Amino acid sequence: MNLYIQVENEQPINHPAFEENIRQAYGTLPSNWEPFVRVQRPIPKIYEILGEEEPSYQKIDGIWRDVWPLRQMTDEEKLDLQNSRRT
């Protein structure tokens, strides 16, 4: 099933919807709905932290998709993690 997201002024509006639902609502696929690809939430590797609990929607290579920000732990966060595993 294909997903699309409504776009105004190059910004996504609301959340993605299935193509079939959009066609049922509008009778056709309006030009301001653009393709969307759902990206699964990543599992952080050791010393990585997921920056947000919800993804942002960004257009990459002409396709809107979920973007999950991952970041490396700071030295202090690494030390805290290492210490918590020792107890």
Side-chain angles (χ1 to χ4, degrees):
M1 292 193 171
N2 296 325
L3 287 171
Y4 288 82
I5 193 161
Q6 188 176 13
V7 177
E8 283 186 15
N9 299 319
E10 295 298 315
Q11 295 300 311
I13 298 173
N14 298 318
H15 298 285
F18 290 111
E19 179 179 2
E20 180 179 319
N21 294 349
I22 299 166
R23 289 187 185 278
Q24 287 176 353
Y26 296 101
T28 185
L29 185 63
S31 62
N32 66 328
W33 286 79
E34 298 182 9
F36 186 91
V37 173
R38 184 63 74 194
V39 176
Q40 289 185 5
R41 181 181 181 171
I43 298 171
K45 296 179 181 136
I46 185 102
Y47 302 133
E48 286 184 334
I49 293 178
L50 188 61
E52 299 290 331
E53 291 300 315
E54 296 294 325
S56 63
Y57 300 147
Q58 295 180 24
K59 193 174 191 177
I60 300 171
D61 296 329
I63 307 251
W64 290 93
R65 61 188 74 228
D66 294 314
V67 174
W68 298 91
L70 281 174
R71 69 169 180 83
Q72 294 295 312
M73 287 183 172
T74 65
D75 289 341
E76 183 177 322
E77 289 169 328
K78 288 178 187 177
L79 185 58
D80 287 344
L81 177 64
Q82 291 165 355
N83 288 337
S84 72
R85 290 184 174 180
R86 290 186 184 135
T87 59

